[in-house]
């Protein structure tokens, strides 16, 4: 028996049901009641091994029982999955007389990312631990001596809480000659006994009997209980009451109100008087439950409802009613009433929600970022009604991020339908609605809350990836610079941000020697005095790290700190070489005005306007012998040194920047005159060398680019000139561009004979001449003689001569061509007409300038026009010139042409002269160039 008590069934009633997301499996076990607490019923790790092996990490799977109540009868070990007895199990207390008694609960696997649901059903088997018992140890029965053989009298029933073979099976009566019993079964399956009279009774022979009634079961071991029947034999009453029917069947709605009339019993007795007056009552053996639920009127026989019935508790009642007259030796008549309770939809569905949170029945916790189909809660619904009244439809309301999924029967899983983010929403209120299909339909609503636990899924976030700040140099150590802040929406340590600076180096020193950052709030402070001239910009990376677990998240931002320059450095002179802040400068005696004396080279470590330097002579130059360029600091002579009576000067030069406040340096230059020409070149070369050594690489590159451009232009002009030289035709030299008729700033000037110069060229090459100081050797007479000599010796040699007449009195542009065929008289007339202004200009627009050429010029002479000197323009309308007034141009032109013409007044053979007057807009003087472009011997 003891071995049987601990027998365990783990049989293969493993009903497996699959769906798209969750794998469910029904496991059924059998145990006997009254087993020892702690006894192991099953091991889930073995029974569901075929399912666990399909999971990613079967060894780490844990089990959790979803049971309600503080003291569950069965407990599940989370690690091993062992199901054991947690409290004493009494089947009779758990299920009463129900044949099927089981304990059901659900087990889920952890972690819920790979959720498996197992429905556990443990059937509790009955053991024969209860004996049949009668409600009374002594049962009195009174029978008339006139009772006929076969008269039946119902007896009290015994009660055995066990079920099956362990329940009440039969009755037995102690041996006698007058009575026997017959075992009968009620509609609810209960067995009872009826006492049957088997022989005629004679009160005079024996007035009473005591018999033992025994009720026994078929359990092992067999148990029994007994009661004493005390039968009294009374004197006879001839007629007994009689019912219209021996049995009645009544349908009673379970929601019928108290006091409802169930049956009007009507028994008749032909006797008169007291012998015919009938009294109704329940039989003595009816159960107390019937007496509590129903009531019978003893006089009228009305059976009424005394207590509300419940179909879900008791589906039917069997009542024994007796009618007995008041005469002596009355024999009662018996009637059986069967009341069937009809189910109505009077029970609302019940909702049980099992959450993952122990102790908090209305709050479920899940982590943000969990995948779809994460387990939230297990819902079980039930309805005590039957049929359609007990069929339930379950729905989930609240939010689309959750879904309700049916597993089996009336069990549902609440799963996530999306990946949740606590930073967007931290709590959800869900509602489970269970509604039956009865008429009218009843429903139950239950609310619970899902709270989202925080995980470290958000790194700290800076508003910008790059911050730029500025601080002035010469700051104090520890000065506050700025604050960079990163935000983290996570909670607790997951959102607690710590700031650090990533290691970097500036001029070989760690960044931590320059600045520091407060780890708690991101405030940045200076650790040293910044010097713009040493470091103008500091760039470092700030890292924000949260305190999450197990992995901390980080983000970076770049901080660019610009050191603003202050004017804290005075200019430093690096050239010329100073001794005691004094330099000695030598100037040649023959230095003319504009001679480059020296250049003061200075530098300022500051930047911007603080480094922009200017120079000025503050003392020693009262007679303005020297001038200084404020920007380049070049010092030149303002007069010829030969005209200065002094030989030494002490110039005090101030070099200052443009900062605020301005800083300056003062140097003393001792300038001395020396006599030797060799030293001039030496000094000049030294000055140039010193200046050139100080030219920066940028200036060199710029000059190189300019030279390259000039070289290309020169090549283009050289190519064009070569083509012109090869042309044997006579060329017209035209120098003129004029625009406006009046120029108020043109100065007047007298023309001297020395301004007319005839310059011979040899082999087409123009000798280099200085226009400032013309040499006496270049007189027109000598040039004319050389020209004639060469014509006589080599008639095939080409000569080019240039006669330049500088004049401020030429009113208009003009062009004139003279050839060897032009008579002298025509030349004289032409000059007279030129003087008298009879050649009127013909304006023609060229670009943004106007040029006027006379009608005697060649039609294509515009393409040979030359640029003026660039010193300004003159106009015919100037007040300096008046047509018809005497002008020195007559005498000068005459003398110039007299040197050029032959003795007979003719132009030498092959000589072509072009005359062009010039009035340029931008030059204050006018030039007349008479160019003999080519001279060839006459043929």
């Amino acid at each position: 028996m003891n071995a049987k008590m601990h027998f365990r069934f783990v049989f293969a009633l493993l009903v497996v049901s699959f769906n798209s997301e969750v794998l469910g499996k029904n496991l059924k076990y059998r145990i006997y009641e009254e087993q020892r607490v702690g006894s192991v019923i099953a091991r889930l790790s073995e029974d569901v091994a075929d399912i666990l092996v399909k999971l990613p990490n079967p060894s780490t799977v844990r089990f959790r029982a979803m049971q309600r109540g503080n003291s569950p009868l069965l407990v599940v070990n989370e690690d091993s999955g062992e199901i054991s007895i947690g409290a004493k199990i009494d089947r009779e207390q758990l299920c009463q007389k129900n044949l099927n008694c089981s304990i059901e609960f659900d087990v889920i696997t952890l972690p819920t990312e790979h959720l498996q649901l197992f429905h556990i059903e443990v059937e509790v088997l009955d053991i024969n631990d209860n004996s049949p018992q009668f409600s009374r140890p002594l049962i009195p029965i009174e029978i008339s001596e006139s009772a006929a053989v076969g008269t039946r009298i119902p007896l009290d029933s015994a009660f055995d809480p066990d079920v099956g073979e362990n329940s009440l099976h039969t009755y037995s009566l102690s041996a006698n000659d007058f009575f026997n019993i017959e075992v009968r079964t009620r509609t609810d399956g209960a067995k009872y006994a009826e006492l049957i009279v088997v022989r005629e009774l004679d009160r005079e022979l024996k007035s009473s009997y005591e018999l033992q009634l025994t009720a026994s079961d078929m359990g092992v071991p067999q148990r029994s209980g007994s009661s004493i029947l005390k039968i009294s034999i009374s004197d006879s009453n001839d007629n007994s009451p009689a019912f219209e029917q021996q049995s009645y069947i009544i349908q009673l709605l379970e929601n019928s109100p108290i006091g409802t009339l169930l049956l009007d019993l009507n028994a008749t007795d032909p006797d008169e008087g007291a012998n015919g007056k009938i009294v109704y009552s329940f039989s003595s053996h009816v159960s107390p439950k019937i007496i509590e639920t129903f009531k019978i009127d003893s006089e009228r026989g009305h059976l009424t409802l005394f207590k509300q019935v419940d179909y879900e508790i008791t589906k039917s009642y069997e009542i024994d009613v007796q009618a007995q007259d008041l005469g002596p030796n009355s024999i009662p008549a018996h009637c059986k009433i069967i009341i069937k309770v009809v189910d109505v939809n009077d029970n609302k569905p019940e909702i049980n929600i099992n959450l993952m949170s122990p102790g908090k029945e209305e709050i479920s916790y899940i982590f943000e970022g969990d995948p779809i189909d994460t387990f939230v809660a297990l819902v079980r619904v039930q309805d005590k009604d039957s049929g359609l009244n007990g069929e339930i439809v379950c729905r989930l309301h609240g939010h689309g991020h959750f879904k309700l999924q049916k597993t089996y029967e009336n069990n549902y899983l609440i799963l996530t339908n999306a990946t949740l983010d606590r930073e967007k929403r931290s709590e959800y209120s869900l509602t489970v609605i269970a509604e039956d299909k009865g008429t009218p339909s009843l429903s139950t609503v239950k609310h619970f809350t899902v709270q989202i636990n925080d995980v470290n899924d958000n790194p700290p976030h800076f508003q910008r990836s790059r911050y730029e700040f500025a601080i002035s140099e010469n700051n104090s150590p520890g000065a506050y610079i700025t604050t960079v802040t990163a935000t983290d929406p996570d909670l607790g340590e997951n959102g607690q941000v710590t700031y650090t600076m990533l290691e970097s180096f500036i001029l070989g020193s760690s960044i931590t020697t320059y600045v520091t950052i407060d780890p708690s709030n991101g405030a940045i402070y200076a650790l040293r005095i910044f010097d713009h001239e040493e470091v103008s910009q500091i760039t470092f990376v700030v890292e924000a790290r949260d305190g999450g677990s197990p992995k901390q998240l980080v983000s970076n931002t770049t901080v660019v700190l610009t050191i603003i320059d202050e004017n804290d450095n005075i200019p430093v002179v690096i050239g010329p070489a100073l001794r005691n802040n004094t330099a000695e400068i030598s100037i040649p005696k023959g230095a003319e005005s504009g001679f480059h004396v020296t250049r003061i080279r200075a530098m300022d470590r500051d930047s911007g306007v603080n480094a922009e330097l200017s120079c000025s002579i503050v003392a020693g130059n009262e007679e303005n012998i020297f001038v200084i360029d404020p920007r380049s600091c070049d010092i030149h002579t303002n007069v010829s040194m030969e005209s200065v009576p002094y030989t030494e000067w002490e110039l005090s030069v101030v070099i200052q920047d443009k900062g605020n406040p301005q800083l300056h340096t003062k140097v003393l230059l001792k300038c001395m005159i020396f006599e030797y020409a060799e030293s001039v070149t030496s000094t000049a070369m030294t000055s140039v060398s010193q200046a050139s050594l100080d030219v920066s690489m940028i200036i060199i590159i710029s000059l190189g680019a300019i030279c390259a451009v000039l070289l290309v232009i020169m090549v283009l002009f050289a190519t064009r000139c070569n083509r012109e030289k090869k042309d044997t035709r006579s060329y017209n030299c035209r120098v003129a561009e004029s625009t406006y008729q009046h120029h108020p700033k043109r100065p007047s000037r007298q023309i001297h004979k020395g301004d007319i110069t005839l310059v011979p060229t040899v082999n087409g090459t123009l000798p280099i001449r200085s226009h400032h100081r013309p040499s006496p050797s270049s007189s027109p007479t000598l040039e004319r003689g050389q020209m004639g000599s060469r014509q006589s010796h080599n008639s095939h040699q080409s000569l080019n001569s240039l006669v330049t007449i500088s004049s401020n009195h030429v009113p208009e542009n003009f062009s004139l061509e003279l050839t060897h065929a032009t008579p002298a008289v025509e030349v004289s007339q032409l000059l007279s007409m030129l003087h008298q202004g009879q050649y009127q200009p013909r304006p023609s627009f060229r670009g943004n300038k106007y040029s006027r050429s006379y009608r005697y010029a060649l039609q294509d002479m515009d393409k040979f026009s030359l640029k003026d000197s660039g010193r300004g323009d003159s106009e015919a309308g100037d007040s300096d010139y008046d047509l018809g007034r005497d002008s020195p141009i007559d005498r000068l032109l005459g003398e110039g042409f007299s040197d050029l013409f032959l003795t007979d007044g003719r132009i030498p053979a092959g000589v072509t002269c072009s005359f062009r007057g010039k009035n340029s807009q931008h030059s204050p003087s006018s030039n007349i160039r008479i160019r003999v472009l080519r001279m060839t011997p006459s043929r």
Side-chain angles (χ1 to χ4, degrees):
M1 178 65 184
N2 190 27
K4 194 172 184 180
M5 290 281 290
H6 293 83
F7 181 78
R8 183 182 58 178
F9 294 92
V10 189
F11 60 99
L13 289 176
L14 305 179
V15 180
V16 183
S17 61
F18 297 91
N19 55 55
S20 57
E21 288 88 5
V22 180
L23 176 62
K25 189 171 186 179
N26 291 349
L27 302 174
K28 292 186 178 181
Y29 304 93
R30 288 181 177 177
I31 62 170
Y32 284 105
E33 63 173 332
E34 305 289 347
Q35 287 199 31
R36 177 175 54 86
V37 175
S39 300
V40 177
I41 297 175
R43 291 181 175 86
L44 293 178
S45 58
E46 299 175 0
D47 298 340
V48 295
D50 56 332
I51 297 177
L52 299 181
V53 74
K54 300 177 182 179
L55 301 180
N57 295 312
S59 60
T60 62
V61 173
R62 294 178 290 118
F63 302 88
R64 177 170 296 179
M66 308 298 292
Q67 300 185 77
R68 301 178 65 85
N70 297 327
S71 300
L73 298 176
L74 301 176
V75 294
V76 179
N77 186 290
E78 286 198 2
D79 296 326
S80 63
E82 287 184 348
I83 303 176
S84 59
I85 297 176
K88 180 181 178 181
I89 300 176
D90 187 353
R91 187 187 184 283
E92 289 74 32
Q93 183 180 0
L94 182 64
C95 303
Q96 297 181 1
K97 293 290 291 182
N98 292 330
L99 293 177
N100 296 322
C101 183
S102 61
I103 302 173
E104 297 184 17
F105 59 94
D106 296 284
V107 176
I108 64 172
T109 60
L110 300 176
T112 58
E113 285 79 2
H114 305 285
L115 178 68
Q116 302 294 315
L117 176 66
F118 305 109
H119 181 66
I120 309 299
E121 183 178 346
V122 179
E123 183 180 359
V124 181
L125 302 179
D126 183 49
I127 61 174
N128 195 17
D129 57 342
N130 292 282
S131 299
Q133 294 181 355
F134 289 94
S135 59
R136 296 180 293 179
L138 179 66
I139 303 174
I141 299 175
E142 185 176 354
I143 302 176
S144 175
E145 62 178 340
S146 61
V149 176
T151 301
R152 293 175 175 267
I153 302 174
L155 301 177
D156 290 0
S157 297
F159 175 74
D160 190 341
D162 293 328
V163 295
E165 293 182 353
N166 298 326
S167 64
L168 176 63
H169 178 65
T170 188
Y171 293 91
S172 61
L173 188 65
S174 58
N176 66 91
D177 296 332
F178 296 91
F179 301 97
N180 199 359
I181 61 173
E182 182 179 350
V183 179
R184 307 192 70 174
T185 304
R186 294 192 178 96
T187 56
D188 59 355
K191 293 183 178 181
Y192 66 98
E194 289 185 348
L195 183 65
I196 303 174
V197 178
V198 295
R199 291 181 63 179
E200 291 184 355
L201 301 176
D202 189 351
R203 181 179 178 277
E204 285 71 25
L205 293 177
K206 192 171 182 178
S207 60
S208 64
Y209 299 88
E210 288 188 0
L211 304 175
Q212 182 176 0
L213 178 64
T214 303
S216 59
D217 56 31
M218 293 185 64
V220 179
Q222 188 177 35
R223 293 178 178 271
S224 62
S226 60
S227 180
I228 300 299
L229 295 179
K230 188 173 182 179
I231 304 173
S232 299
I233 307 300
S234 61
D235 195 11
S236 65
N237 185 7
D238 293 341
N239 295 292
S240 297
F243 287 99
E244 294 179 352
Q245 297 181 19
Q246 291 297 316
S247 64
Y248 295 90
I249 298 178
I250 300 174
Q251 302 288 335
L252 175 63
L253 297 177
E254 62 173 333
N255 62 347
S256 297
I258 297 175
T260 300
L261 178 63
L262 304 181
L263 184 62
D264 184 5
L265 295 173
N266 187 16
T268 59
D269 190 336
D271 293 333
E272 294 182 352
N275 293 335
K277 189 175 181 179
I278 301 174
V279 176
Y280 300 91
S281 65
F282 293 117
S283 298
S284 59
H285 62 270
V286 297
S287 65
K289 185 176 181 181
I290 292 178
I291 297 175
E292 294 174 357
T293 307
F294 303 97
K295 182 180 180 181
I296 191 169
D297 190 332
S298 59
E299 293 183 358
R300 295 180 296 175
H302 291 173
L303 181 64
T304 58
L305 183 64
F306 186 72
K307 182 182 179 181
Q308 191 82 36
V309 296
D310 190 351
Y311 174 84
E312 288 70 37
I313 298 176
T314 305
K315 295 179 175 57
S316 64
Y317 297 89
E318 190 170 326
I319 306 173
D320 290 322
V321 178
Q322 67 181 12
Q324 188 175 6
D325 58 33
L326 297 179
N329 302 321
S330 173
I331 299 176
H334 295 276
C335 175
K336 187 177 293 294
I337 302 173
I338 298 176
I339 299 177
K340 294 184 177 181
V341 181
V342 179
D343 183 40
V344 296
N345 193 21
D346 59 341
N347 292 284
K348 292 183 177 181
E350 296 179 0
I351 301 175
N352 294 321
I353 300 178
N354 293 321
L355 306 176
M356 292 289 293
S357 315
K360 295 184 179 180
E361 296 184 357
E362 295 182 356
I363 300 178
S364 176
Y365 296 94
I366 62 175
F367 287 96
E368 64 172 331
D370 284 347
I372 298 176
D373 295 331
T374 297
F375 172 77
V376 178
L378 176 66
V379 178
R380 177 178 296 168
V381 295
Q382 60 183 1
D383 195 326
K384 294 179 181 179
D385 296 324
S386 60
L388 291 177
N389 297 330
E391 293 185 13
I392 303 172
V393 177
C394 190
R395 300 188 305 273
L396 177 66
H397 291 179
H399 205 280
H401 289 344
F402 300 89
K403 64 181 178 180
L404 189 69
Q405 179 174 303
K406 188 173 183 178
T407 56
Y408 56 89
E409 296 178 357
N410 289 328
N411 290 270
Y412 298 85
L413 289 177
I414 298 179
L415 307 174
T416 59
N417 201 27
T419 301
L420 305 178
D421 188 353
R422 189 205 64 81
E423 286 71 36
K424 294 181 179 179
R425 186 168 179 177
S426 61
E427 185 176 285
Y428 297 86
S429 295
L430 301 182
T431 302
V432 178
I433 301 176
E435 185 177 7
D436 61 29
K437 296 182 180 180
T439 303
S441 177
L442 301 178
S443 62
T444 301
V445 177
K446 196 162 189 178
H447 306 279
F448 73 99
T449 301
V450 179
Q451 289 189 355
I452 311 302
N453 290 335
D454 183 55
V455 297
N456 193 23
D457 59 342
N458 290 282
H461 174 68
F462 288 99
Q463 291 296 328
R464 290 180 288 175
S465 61
R466 179 184 177 93
Y467 292 87
E468 295 185 1
F469 304 100
I471 184 174
S472 298
E473 63 176 336
N474 302 320
N475 59 288
S476 60
Y480 170 77
I481 300 175
T482 188
T483 298
V484 292
T485 304
T487 57
D488 193 327
D490 294 327
L491 292 179
E493 294 183 353
N494 295 335
Q496 185 175 356
V497 181
T498 303
Y499 302 91
T500 56
M501 289 190 304
L502 298 185
E503 183 65 27
S504 61
F505 294 91
I506 299 176
L507 299 179
S509 300
S510 173
I511 185 63
T512 56
T513 64
Y514 285 83
V515 292
T516 186
I517 189 169
D518 191 327
S520 60
N521 57 20
I524 300 175
Y525 300 90
L527 291 180
R528 62 166 64 180
I529 300 175
F530 294 142
D531 187 357
H532 173 82
E533 289 70 39
E534 179 184 352
V535 177
S536 62
Q537 192 177 76
I538 299 175
T539 302
F540 55 94
V541 177
V542 174
E543 179 186 81
R545 180 184 298 270
D546 60 28
S549 178
K551 182 180 179 181
Q552 295 178 341
L553 302 180
V554 300
S555 63
N556 298 335
T557 188
T558 301
V559 178
V560 179
L561 183 61
T562 301
I563 312 301
I564 300 176
D565 181 49
E566 289 186 348
N567 195 21
D568 57 345
N569 292 280
I570 62 174
V572 177
V573 177
I574 59 175
L578 300 178
R579 179 176 296 178
N580 295 329
N581 220 29
T582 304
E584 294 182 356
I585 306 298
S586 299
I587 304 174
K589 179 66 176 178
E592 297 289 338
S593 175
F595 176 78
H596 183 266
V597 177
T598 187
R599 171 180 291 178
I600 298 177
R601 292 178 288 111
M603 63 174 292
D604 193 325
R605 294 185 62 199
D606 294 325
S607 60
V609 295
N610 296 330
E612 293 183 8
L613 304 179
S614 62
C615 302
S616 62
I617 302 175
V618 297
N621 192 34
E622 288 76 6
E623 297 180 1
N624 293 328
I625 298 175
F626 302 94
V627 293
I628 186 169
D629 189 330
R631 299 187 64 181
S632 65
C633 294
D634 287 329
I635 300 177
H636 295 82
T637 59
N638 197 28
V639 297
S640 175
M641 291 293 102
E642 293 179 352
S643 62
V644 179
Y646 309 108
T647 60
E648 292 184 2
W649 296 268
E650 289 187 357
L651 302 180
S652 180
V653 180
V654 172
I655 303 97
Q656 68 179 5
D657 56 32
K658 296 182 180 180
N660 186 17
Q662 290 184 336
L663 301 178
H664 69 275
T665 299
K666 183 182 292 185
V667 298
L668 183 63
L669 301 181
K670 292 184 177 181
C671 300
M672 297 173 291
I673 299 294
F674 68 92
E675 299 290 341
Y676 301 100
E678 290 81 359
S679 300
V680 176
T681 305
S682 175
T683 303
M685 292 302 293
T686 302
S687 176
V688 173
S689 175
Q690 291 176 352
S692 62
L693 291 176
D694 193 41
V695 177
S696 64
M697 185 60 67
I698 297 177
I699 298 178
I700 294 175
I701 295 174
S702 301
L703 291 177
I706 294 173
C707 292
V709 174
L710 292 177
L711 180 60
V712 173
I713 295 174
M714 292 173 64
V715 170
L716 294 176
F717 274 101
T719 304
R720 183 174 179 179
C721 291
N722 287 335
R723 289 199 302 266
E724 292 176 355
K725 288 180 181 181
K726 293 179 182 180
D727 193 354
T728 59
R729 295 179 300 170
S730 296
Y731 285 81
N732 177 29
C733 73
R734 177 185 178 194
V735 183
E737 285 181 2
S738 63
T739 54
Y740 302 99
Q741 295 297 327
H742 301 281
H743 198 293
K745 297 182 179 180
R746 184 186 66 178
S748 62
R749 180 181 175 185
Q750 298 296 327
I751 300 178
H752 303 282
K753 185 177 180 180
D755 292 332
I756 302 176
T757 305
L758 181 62
V759 183
T761 59
V762 180
N763 296 329
T765 302
L766 183 65
I768 300 174
R769 295 287 308 278
S770 174
H771 294 279
H772 297 284
R773 304 176 64 87
S775 176
S777 63
S778 59
S779 62
T781 306
L782 178 59
E783 292 173 3
R784 185 178 65 244
Q786 291 176 353
M787 180 179 64
S789 174
R790 292 185 183 274
Q791 286 178 347
S792 62
H793 287 88
N794 188 3
S795 60
H796 298 286
Q797 185 178 7
S798 298
L799 299 177
N800 292 326
S801 297
L802 177 64
V803 177
T804 303
I805 300 177
S806 299
S807 175
N808 295 325
H809 302 278
V810 179
E812 294 289 344
N813 294 337
F814 65 91
S815 178
L816 176 63
E817 182 178 344
L818 302 178
T819 64
H820 70 281
T822 307
V825 63
E826 293 186 10
V827 175
S828 299
Q829 294 175 357
L830 186 60
L831 293 175
S832 177
M833 295 169 64
L834 176 64
H835 172 66
Q836 296 175 5
Q838 297 181 12
Y839 292 96
Q840 299 299 325
R842 179 182 57 194
S844 61
F845 179 74
R846 289 180 56 81
N848 61 345
K849 298 180 181 298
Y850 289 91
S851 64
R852 298 183 176 97
S853 54
Y854 288 86
R855 57 183 177 269
Y856 291 97
L858 294 176
Q859 295 179 357
D860 58 348
M861 63 194 309
D862 285 344
K863 64 182 178 179
F864 303 111
S865 62
L866 303 176
K867 297 290 183 181
D868 62 355
S869 63
R871 298 181 180 178
D873 294 342
S874 297
E875 298 180 1
D878 290 343
S879 61
D880 295 339
Y881 177 75
D882 187 9
L883 290 177
R885 194 177 66 181
D886 291 339
S887 173
I889 193 170
D890 295 333
R891 179 174 53 84
L892 295 177
L893 290 177
E895 292 177 358
F897 283 114
S898 64
D899 294 334
L900 179 63
F901 295 159
L902 296 179
T903 57
D904 55 0
R906 292 182 296 104
I907 298 176
V911 177
T912 301
C913 296
S914 296
F915 295 86
R916 178 76 183 270
K918 180 170 183 181
N919 251 340
S920 178
Q921 178 184 353
H922 303 288
S923 176
S925 62
S926 299
N927 294 329
I928 296 178
R929 289 193 178 95
I930 303 174
R931 178 177 296 173
V932 182
L933 297 177
R934 180 167 296 175
M935 301 177 66
T936 57
S938 60
R939 298 178 183 176

